[in-house]
Amino acid sequence: MLPTLGVHLIAKDEAEFIGRCLESVKNADEIIVIDTGSQDDTIKIALEHGAKVIALKWKEDFSLPRNEALRHATTDWILVIDADEELLTSMDDIRKLIRESEAEGYDVTIINQLGRDREHAVCNRALRLFRNRQEYHFQGKIHEEIEPSIRLLSGKGKIKDSDIELRHTGYLTENILKKNKLKRNFQILIDALKADPENPYYLYHLGITHCQAGKLGEAEKYMLQAKQLAPAAARFRPTLIRDLVKIMLERNEPEQAGFICLQEIQHYPDYADLHFAYGQCLENQGLWEKAFESYRKATICRSSSYVTEAGMNSYEPLAKMGALALKLDQPEEAARLFYNAAITNPSFPPALKGLASAFHRLNTADEEIGTLLLKTVEPRNEQQWNLVLEALDGIGADQEIIRLCPPRWLAADNISNLYGASLLRLHRYREAHSFFYHAACANTSPNAKREMLHLLTQWKLQGSLDPYIWTLIKTHEHEDIKQLDGSLFARREVGPEHNTKEQFQNTPLIQGLIRQAIAVGLSDLARKLSIFDKAGVFTFAKTLYREGYILDAADLLISSFDAQTLDDEGAYMLAEILYDKGHYAEAARLFENISLHDPSFDAASIGAAISYLQLAADYLDRAQSSLPDAPKLAQEAGQLRSAINLLQRSGWHTSWNDRQRRCIDEHKRNFAVHDRSERS
């Protein structure tokens, strides 16, 4: 006789999810739903799916309803599922598994979705399928388990692995907030810890609850307590270490997190997530070569017994290694690594962007890079085409974007933005104007970026806006645009040196237009726009710098510095320019003044330190030729250079993508900056 299979779940106000859950297990021999007080249509939906519904008063203890379901069970085997989960494996496959099984229970894989993208998920193993025996029962007020009971009565060897998969959506942020899980879980855990204050399992999950609430300091405190108390053999301990390290990294504590990783990897040498986290700790400290090796170790881990994020032993570390190879000026190695990451997951943006960047650094023609991306991704839908075009956008391959962009997806929001921006950068203004007009007519939903580009295009072409454009603007107030349009071209020459009494009120709109204009190569229009906002000149200069127009930005920043109107952010950019030109003394003074004004500006403090180190190293280099103790001086200079190299890797300096680097390369010219101390 074939064994029977039942499904058990707990529910309260799960009408939004329970239908999909029950549909995925509809072929079960018995479905038992323990309802703990639903006020919505949960019970009605459950009954419509043939479930036996049992009402039970909620008593802040998840084991109670689980064990109540066991009391009513009549099947040989039981699969436990949550209302916000769905079974991905067919019931027929599960029946084949249990038909002649000698096991008492099976672990299944639970895919916990953390975002709408299927790749953004964490997978864990849990015992969810087991024989129905009177002796077995659930334990724990929260995150209840039946495994300890089965181990105690039948032995660890009776628990086997399976290929069964469930998808869980309860960790999506909107679902956590909607169901008020945090408040419920917090209260259960606090009550449980009152009775058992040194229970590491409860302390860990209290840390998780604080983390989900955004209280990372509290989360770290409870997880450190749990780490001290959790036995090395505790099944949840590897996950505890992983989560603790991730929180410490988020709180910018890479040294402490790295020390914990180094200790714990000895216990869990085959845990990909831990090697990956250690790589992040090392990378954040500028130890790129060691980080590369740690990421490599993650790629060879094959254990499925840990809680793990998708791609932690494949495309995630491969892409990280590729990025490090680029930083270490090894584009060929980077291209190989990014390609392997992209082949493993063609929908992983860092892999595709890195692949385009690596081949761009190898001086590969844009057309060849575009062809490679198409062969790698084989795009069939909007999302895949968007990935390809964004990768090309990152390297400034505008002609390729125009060539490859499929007509079918030209109306899609982001793709239309990429296409239109490329037309503008290629100075195809009339074509861009026509494109934006037809795109606006074809779309009823607002697209703020496309509308901004449309406005800029018409101003560039005609100097003013035609009346028809008001019917196409959906995201900005007409009066704001009309006010700006009426005075924008009132003067033939306008710029930062011209003051205007017509200060525009909608500062965010002006600043957004300035940024968009510079991003598509319309710097002349951005300069005209800058006079209509009191901070417009700063927005103009800073955006020029961020987009790679460094020399143009330098002129404006120096003028503002001379006029003593430069803010800390602008002063920081000017200090970077001085540093990059080797004017370390003046850069150091600027960085130090910023740090004194704003002690939380960490990058400025690092900039000051590294500038002084450069001055010291230069002094030692010069001194070697005139002082008798030259070998010792050379050794000290070498140590300083090593310290400088490490600080250079700390991420203190502005970085540019390959598109912006093209701007830097195209606009290079001699630029002499003298120390201000030499000026009168």
Side-chain angles (χ1 to χ4, degrees):
M1 186 175 177
L2 295 177
T4 53
L5 175 62
V7 173
H8 293 187
L9 61 152
I10 306 171
K12 180 183 178 181
D13 295 331
E14 299 282 4
E16 183 179 352
F17 306 102
I18 197 169
R20 184 172 65 238
C21 171
L22 295 176
E23 185 65 24
S24 72
V25 297
K26 62 183 178 182
N27 294 325
D29 298 302
E30 177 180 71
I31 300 175
I32 296 178
V33 175
I34 304 294
D35 186 86
T36 58
S38 293
Q39 299 297 313
D40 61 7
D41 288 338
T42 295
I43 294 176
K44 177 186 174 184
I45 296 169
L47 292 172
E48 288 173 350
H49 283 79
K52 180 191 298 183
V53 179
I54 299 167
L56 187 71
K57 186 177 179 181
W58 175 245
K59 295 182 179 179
E60 307 293 334
D61 186 333
F62 280 95
S63 286
L64 291 178
R66 292 291 187 203
N67 290 327
E68 181 67 13
L70 294 181
R71 199 170 67 83
H72 291 270
T74 63
T75 55
D76 301 311
W77 286 79
I78 295 166
L79 174 69
V80 170
I81 190 169
D82 288 340
D84 52 10
E85 294 176 342
E86 60 180 313
L87 179 66
L88 302 181
T89 306
S90 74
M91 297 295 283
D92 288 342
D93 286 342
I94 298 177
R95 284 193 168 89
K96 289 177 185 176
L97 177 69
I98 64 176
R99 184 175 297 162
E100 296 180 1
S101 173
E102 295 182 0
E104 290 293 306
Y106 285 97
D107 284 341
V108 309
T109 297
I110 304 172
I111 304 168
N112 301 282
Q113 292 294 145
L114 302 180
R116 292 304 173 190
D117 187 348
R118 290 293 173 92
E119 279 77 28
H120 191 197
V122 172
C123 298
N124 68 286
R125 304 279 292 173
L127 198 157
R128 292 289 196 90
L129 178 64
F130 53 91
R131 288 186 189 273
N132 180 15
R133 296 195 189 278
Q134 189 176 0
E135 299 87 354
Y136 296 158
H137 63 278
F138 283 89
Q139 303 173 27
K141 288 190 172 185
I142 190 169
H143 301 292
E144 67 287 356
E145 296 181 298
I146 201 166
E147 182 176 347
S149 179
I150 296 175
R151 284 192 179 208
L152 179 65
L153 295 168
S154 300
K156 181 181 177 182
K158 287 291 186 177
I159 298 173
K160 305 296 183 182
D161 286 330
S162 77
D163 295 328
I164 299 170
E165 290 186 340
L166 304 174
R167 179 181 291 120
H168 176 224
T169 59
Y171 289 152
L172 292 172
T173 303
E174 60 267 32
N175 292 343
I176 290 176
L177 296 175
K178 192 182 301 180
K179 296 161 71 173
N180 205 14
K181 283 185 175 182
L182 296 182
K183 183 177 180 181
R184 179 201 67 190
N185 290 356
F186 182 80
Q187 192 57 54
I188 294 173
L189 288 164
I190 290 295
D191 292 343
L193 283 166
K194 286 179 182 177
D196 189 1
E198 293 193 341
N199 186 309
Y201 188 72
Y202 292 152
L203 286 167
Y204 165 49
H205 282 286
L206 187 55
I208 289 291
T209 304
H210 278 293
C211 181
Q212 291 171 334
K215 300 176 181 178
L216 298 186
E218 287 294 296
E220 182 178 330
K221 180 182 76 172
Y222 285 111
M223 286 190 182
L224 283 170
Q225 292 179 37
K227 174 180 172 290
Q228 293 299 112
L229 296 167
R235 189 170 181 178
F236 68 91
R237 197 172 187 279
T239 314
L240 159 64
I241 300 302
R242 166 193 174 275
D243 292 340
L244 171 60
V245 169
K246 289 186 66 153
I247 287 169
M248 295 178 81
L249 281 169
E250 188 68 24
R251 300 191 71 212
N252 196 27
E253 300 169 352
E255 295 90 350
Q256 303 94 307
F259 180 71
I260 290 174
C261 283
L262 195 57
Q263 287 181 313
E264 299 296 332
I265 281 172
Q266 300 176 50
H267 303 299
Y268 317 113
D270 55 347
Y271 194 2
D273 293 55
L274 205 50
H275 285 290
F276 186 87
Y278 188 38
Q280 290 179 296
C281 296
L282 295 167
E283 184 176 354
N284 288 357
Q285 297 174 70
L287 304 171
W288 293 348
E289 293 82 2
K290 291 182 178 179
F292 188 96
E293 178 60 18
S294 191
Y295 290 135
R296 186 196 66 78
K297 288 180 178 177
T299 65
I300 60 176
C301 294
R302 291 293 177 266
S303 175
S304 61
S305 60
Y306 299 107
V307 173
T308 185
E309 287 187 51
M312 275 295 125
N313 66 351
S314 55
Y315 56 86
E316 286 274 8
L318 285 169
K320 284 285 190 181
M321 293 163 71
L324 287 175
L326 279 183
K327 290 179 180 179
L328 294 166
D329 198 23
Q330 299 170 4
E332 288 187 6
E333 176 69 358
R336 182 186 67 82
L337 291 161
F338 282 127
Y339 180 73
N340 288 337
I343 288 297
T344 306
N345 182 2
S347 297
F348 188 50
L352 297 177
K353 291 179 180 179
L355 185 62
S357 182
F359 276 99
H360 177 71
R361 306 276 179 95
L362 289 167
N363 297 316
T364 307
D366 290 347
E367 187 172 350
E368 292 181 49
I369 295 174
T371 301
L372 173 63
L373 291 173
L374 288 183
K375 288 183 178 178
T376 304
V377 179
E378 297 182 348
R380 293 182 176 85
N381 56 41
E382 178 187 339
Q383 180 187 17
Q384 292 169 334
W385 272 108
N386 194 56
L387 290 171
V388 170
L389 298 174
E390 283 193 337
L392 291 169
D393 183 65
I395 61 170
D398 293 310
Q399 195 65 55
E400 272 303 283
I401 291 174
I402 300 300
R403 183 179 76 88
L404 295 179
C405 204
R408 179 184 177 186
W409 300 112
L410 273 180
D413 280 350
N414 197 52
I415 291 177
S416 68
N417 293 341
L418 291 169
Y419 185 86
S422 292
L423 287 173
L424 290 173
R425 293 191 189 99
L426 294 170
H427 305 154
R428 293 160 66 171
Y429 303 125
R430 295 195 179 280
E431 194 176 339
H433 182 273
S434 175
F435 170 73
F436 288 131
Y437 173 75
H438 288 99
C441 291
N443 285 274
T444 56
S445 59
N447 182 331
K449 181 175 181 179
R450 188 170 61 216
E451 288 176 22
M452 280 190 176
L453 293 176
H454 195 177
L455 290 169
L456 294 169
T457 304
Q458 190 164 31
W459 276 327
K460 175 68 178 177
L461 279 173
Q462 301 179 15
S464 62
L465 302 179
D466 287 341
Y468 80 86
I469 203 168
W470 308 121
T471 63
L472 303 177
I473 297 174
K474 304 180 181 72
T475 58
H476 304 302
E477 294 181 15
H478 290 195
E479 291 307 315
D480 288 337
I481 302 297
K482 286 180 179 178
Q483 177 192 348
L484 183 58
D485 182 46
S487 53
L488 180 58
F489 294 93
R491 306 179 185 190
R492 285 182 174 272
E493 294 182 6
V494 291
E497 69 279 5
H498 294 89
N499 293 319
T500 177
K501 294 180 180 179
E502 279 190 89
Q503 288 295 326
F504 193 67
Q505 298 302 312
N506 194 334
T507 294
L509 175 59
I510 287 288
Q511 293 180 349
L513 286 166
I514 291 172
R515 295 188 186 102
Q516 287 295 337
I518 295 173
V520 295
L522 299 177
S523 298
D524 56 337
L525 188 53
R527 181 183 291 271
K528 293 177 180 179
L529 285 162
S530 68
I531 70 166
F532 293 97
D533 175 54
K534 60 183 179 181
V537 64
F538 296 134
T539 301
F540 181 53
K542 293 171 188 176
T543 306
L544 284 172
Y545 186 71
R546 293 191 192 99
E547 291 295 329
Y549 300 98
I550 295 174
L551 302 178
D552 294 333
D555 293 335
L556 292 169
L557 293 170
I558 290 171
S559 298
S560 299
F561 182 80
D562 288 339
Q564 298 183 335
T565 59
L566 200 60
D567 62 3
D568 284 347
E569 185 183 23
Y572 181 81
M573 291 176 175
L574 179 57
E576 284 190 339
I577 293 170
L578 293 167
Y579 177 88
D580 292 341
K581 283 293 179 181
H583 298 275
Y584 302 127
E586 186 170 344
R589 285 194 290 273
L590 265 178
F591 282 132
E592 198 163 24
N593 285 338
I594 297 165
S595 297
L596 290 171
H597 184 256
D598 182 3
S600 66
F601 205 140
D602 294 335
S605 300
I606 297 173
I610 200 170
S611 297
Y612 285 123
L613 286 174
Q614 291 281 20
L615 288 169
D618 288 348
Y619 174 79
L620 288 174
D621 287 340
R622 292 193 300 271
Q624 287 181 55
S625 60
S626 57
L627 295 176
D629 204 5
K632 185 176 180 181
L633 291 176
Q635 182 180 0
E636 291 179 353
Q639 291 174 346
L640 276 177
R641 298 291 183 202
S642 297
I644 290 169
N645 185 50
L646 198 60
L647 280 173
Q648 293 280 35
R649 296 175 171 188
S650 65
W652 70 280
H653 197 293
T654 300
S655 59
W656 292 273
N657 65 24
D658 289 274
R659 173 184 288 284
Q660 293 152 354
R661 289 181 182 279
R662 281 189 176 190
C663 291
I664 295 170
D665 293 340
E666 289 170 6
H667 293 84
K668 277 182 179 177
R669 65 175 187 265
N670 289 332
F671 178 61
V673 178
H674 301 283
D675 267 352
R676 239 162 257 283
S677 59
E678 298 174 6
R679 296 184 175 187
S680 56

